[in-house]
Every structure is written in C-alpha cells, then in structure tokens.
Amino acid sequence: MALWSCLPSAPLLLGLLSLSSILLPQPVAAATPGIRHVIRKPSADIPIFREAPAFRNGDQCNSSDRIHITMTLDSNYLRGTIAAVLSLLQHATCPENLEFHFLWARFEPDIFSSIKSTFPYLRFRVYRFDSNRVRGKISKSIRQALDQPLNYARLYLAEIIPPEVKRVIYLDSDLVVVDDIAKLWEVELDDKVLAAPEYCHTNFTTYFSDEFWSDPNLSRTFSGRKPCYFNTGVMVVDVEKWRNGEYTQKMEEWMGVQKQKRIYHLGSLPPFLLVLGGDIKRVDHRWNQHGLGGDNLEGLCRDLHPGSISLLHWSGKGKPWLRLDSRKPCSVDHLWAPYDLYRLSAHTFEE
C-alpha cells in the first residue's frame, strides 16, 4: 500500500509537495518520479477549482491537537469532496489542526494536483485502497454507485490508516459541515468502537431480505441487541479497537454469506448493521441530516428534517452539483452551493 503525503512542517514548506516513504510492502515505483511534476493543469476529465482562502488557527489553538478526517477520492465525486473540505475548514475553530487521510483506488496525479492547488496549505495524505480486497466479495445492489470497490474502503480503515492514528472521523463526499468538527471529534466513545447518529424510528427489518429474517441461524445475530439504522457516511471510529476486535474480518464473513444467499440489497451498509447495529455510541442527529439526495432509485427532492443542523448530507441518488448544473435543483441544494469551488460554477464563495 502506497502513501502520498503533503504534511508541511514549517511555514516555508507550506507550498511544497512531498512524497513520503512507502508504508507497507506494496511499492509503487512508477509513482515516485511523476509526483514531482504533479502541480499542473488537470486533464479534461478532472474539474478545475478556484483556490480556497487560507484558514488559520486562532491564538487559543494547540497545534498538537490533531483531528484526523478520512474521505475517499474519486473523479466522479471530486467536486463534492472539495466542497466538503472547504466547509470543514471554514467552520473549524482550529482549521490547521485538521489532517485529512484520503483513500483512492489508484494513483491519479490530476486529482492530487487539484487538491494541492485548491488547498495549498492543507495537511493531507493519500493512500491507495487495493480494490482486490473486495473483488469477488461485492454483490449487486439496488444502485450501481453502491457497488464500486471504493465504497467498501470504509471497512478497511484499520488496515490503511497508520497505527499511530488512534481515531478518525469518516465522512462521505456528498456532504458539507456547518459546525466546528471538533465537537464531533470530542464525542466520548466509552467502550464502543464507533459513534454515529442512530435512527430508531425507521423500520430496521427493511434493510434485510425475507430470506434473512426467515432463517433463525441468521436472524439470531441480533439477539441481545436493539439494533437501529445508522448511516455509515458519518462515523467516529476508534481504529485501534477496530483492529483489535477484527471487525473487518467479521464484516467480510457476512459479505461471504451474501454471496451465497441474498440477505440484503444496500452495498456496504448492511455488514456494518449486522456487526455493530445496536452496539454503537449514539451521536446527536444534528451531525447527519442525511437523505437530502432522495432515495436510491429516483433521487427526488426532500425537505430538511426539523431540529438543529451541524452537517448536511446528500445521501441517495441525487447529488447537489449535478442538480444545480442541470438547472433543476432542489431547495436544499442551494445550501451546498456556497461551498462549490468549481471554476465554471455560477456560484461564488464569499470570504
């Protein structure tokens, strides 16, 4: 597994691009010479973004208090990722304390270039997720985007993130944060491995097939638990506990069952529910106002749920940048637009 990093250690180095050593025994020799020339105009397939303002820490910030954020990198969702990063920086009390860990399926210098040129001062590393880890394990779901190997990278965080990082916040690319992410980072996990908002009013049985519920050997997995739905697009994860508890292996076992019997329909979510449903630390709903992209089939418009909001999440088929470009936006999409740094966008960011 290869790692590309941009971790400035002094102000004079803030504009420099560096390549770190290879983390694990899977060297990518071809990446080394090319990285020196990565600051260039992206290809026609990669959007071009305006440079974001430089967000600085206040006097009250301790620079050693790192907040580790993990996201995936994909050309189809890059515009969403850029908007999410901007929102995190803009609303953070100590933006220079944020350290990003990006996961991609393959080395893409144009994407690396876009992030570096858009956020020259960003502290980040990029890791390669080996798609072969899930080849043969993915079953067809109700939406093609849910079947992409990178969608399953969140199951393997404990194997990808360096061991010195004990906790991460995992975030999807189709969201914006409108509050200080440090508030979510500081949640007490107690003895749990994961924290996320739970939604116990939803019908939990619908996330699994009739074949699952009719098989007592399968359905008894929830015995002694009161499982509720939680969205895996916003999670605080203790990666050390995850690693020690072998949660990746437990989820892979359920993916193996799915290949033999059709026990669920929704990509990487059900393995999380099967292993951790009813056994997570509950977080306030304000940290995942999800479903703004509509359902997984049509992506119809949805209104905001009542209550306070710290994070807006366009989970579902409809993505705000696509609906805005089509000139058929939903009302909630205008809440995403101020964070859009796409150079050809009609929306502008006001400092």
Side-chain angles (χ1 to χ4, degrees):
M1 185 174 299
L3 160 70
W4 294 266
S5 70
C6 188
L7 299 176
S9 57
L12 289 176
L13 298 179
L14 282 172
L16 298 180
L17 183 64
S18 64
L19 174 66
S20 78
S21 59
I22 301 302
L23 271 185
L24 295 176
Q26 191 176 354
V28 185
T32 304
I35 213 79
R36 297 174 182 171
H37 309 289
V38 79
I39 303 298
R40 62 178 184 271
K41 181 179 179 180
S43 69
D45 297 330
I46 304 298
I48 301 176
F49 301 96
R50 301 187 298 278
E51 181 178 327
F55 297 92
R56 300 300 190 186
N57 282 356
D59 294 337
Q60 76 276 26
C61 297
N62 185 340
S63 60
S64 63
D65 294 336
R66 292 274 175 256
I67 297 176
H68 298 277
I69 298 170
T70 304
M71 305 178 72
T72 57
L73 279 181
D74 176 86
S75 58
N76 293 324
Y77 284 81
L78 184 60
R79 192 166 163 190
T81 302
I82 295 291
V85 171
L86 175 62
S87 72
L88 285 157
L89 295 171
Q90 182 181 346
H91 294 286
T93 301
C94 303
E96 291 180 281
N97 288 6
L98 304 189
E99 184 169 327
F100 290 83
H101 302 263
F102 295 118
L103 315 178
W104 58 18
R106 62 185 180 276
F107 174 65
E108 297 189 69
D110 289 328
I111 291 181
F112 198 111
S113 175
S114 287
I115 295 209
K116 182 56 189 166
S117 60
T118 306
F119 302 104
Y121 308 105
L122 191 69
R123 180 179 293 269
F124 72 94
R125 306 181 189 182
V126 185
Y127 311 81
R128 178 175 174 264
F129 169 63
D130 185 1
S131 299
N132 290 323
R133 285 301 308 266
V134 291
R135 298 292 183 193
K137 296 185 178 73
I138 298 177
S139 300
K140 185 177 178 59
S141 66
I142 61 174
R143 185 157 63 90
Q144 186 178 5
L146 301 176
D147 301 337
Q148 302 305 310
L150 198 58
N151 189 47
Y152 288 79
R154 68 195 79 190
L155 278 71
Y156 298 89
L157 293 179
E159 298 180 7
I160 299 172
I161 301 301
E164 64 268 19
V165 178
K166 308 301 182 184
R167 170 189 286 212
V168 299
I169 296 176
Y170 178 87
L171 297 176
D172 275 348
S173 296
D174 52 357
L175 55 79
V176 292
V177 176
V178 294
D179 201 347
D180 189 350
I181 196 65
K183 298 176 184 177
L184 180 60
W185 176 257
E186 293 166 357
V187 64
E188 292 291 340
L189 284 171
D190 300 326
D191 62 338
K192 305 302 183 184
V193 70
L194 187 150
E198 283 187 309
Y199 304 90
C200 296
H201 63 281
T202 61
N203 185 353
F204 188 80
T205 61
T206 61
Y207 291 96
F208 301 95
S209 66
D210 292 339
E211 186 173 2
F212 172 84
W213 293 114
S214 63
D215 188 329
N217 293 321
L218 297 176
S219 59
R220 72 163 57 103
T221 189
F222 293 115
S223 296
R225 291 189 277 164
K226 294 182 179 180
C228 295
Y229 161 73
F230 65 92
N231 182 281
T232 58
V234 180
M235 303 183 291
V236 182
V237 182
D238 186 320
V239 288
E240 191 170 40
K241 288 181 182 177
W242 185 288
R243 190 179 297 113
N244 294 336
E246 298 183 341
Y247 286 93
T248 295
Q249 290 81 353
K250 293 174 182 178
M251 294 184 186
E252 285 184 328
E253 290 175 5
W254 280 111
M255 292 167 67
V257 174
Q258 166 74 350
K259 294 295 289 187
Q260 300 172 17
K261 298 181 178 182
R262 188 71 173 175
I263 62 173
Y264 57 78
H265 308 286
L266 274 177
S268 63
L269 169 64
F272 275 88
L273 299 180
L274 286 161
V275 175
L276 290 169
D279 193 27
I280 70 171
K281 181 64 180 287
R282 183 175 299 181
V283 173
D284 193 290
H285 287 178
R286 68 185 301 153
W287 283 104
N288 196 350
Q289 176 88 215
H290 70 289
L292 302 183
D295 60 25
N296 280 301
L297 297 177
E298 298 182 69
L300 300 177
C301 294
R302 287 183 178 175
D303 295 327
L304 294 173
H305 305 298
S308 301
I309 300 172
S310 293
L311 185 150
L312 297 157
H313 188 188
W314 279 260
S315 58
K317 186 177 181 180
K319 302 307 172 189
W321 56 92
L322 297 178
R323 297 195 297 213
L324 286 163
D325 287 352
S326 70
R327 301 186 182 277
K328 298 179 181 179
C330 299
S331 59
V332 295
D333 297 339
H334 295 290
L335 300 175
W336 179 89
Y339 304 97
D340 185 16
L341 290 176
Y342 181 43
R343 191 175 293 277
L344 298 182
S345 172
H347 315 289
T348 58
F349 173 74
E350 298 180 0
E351 297 187 45

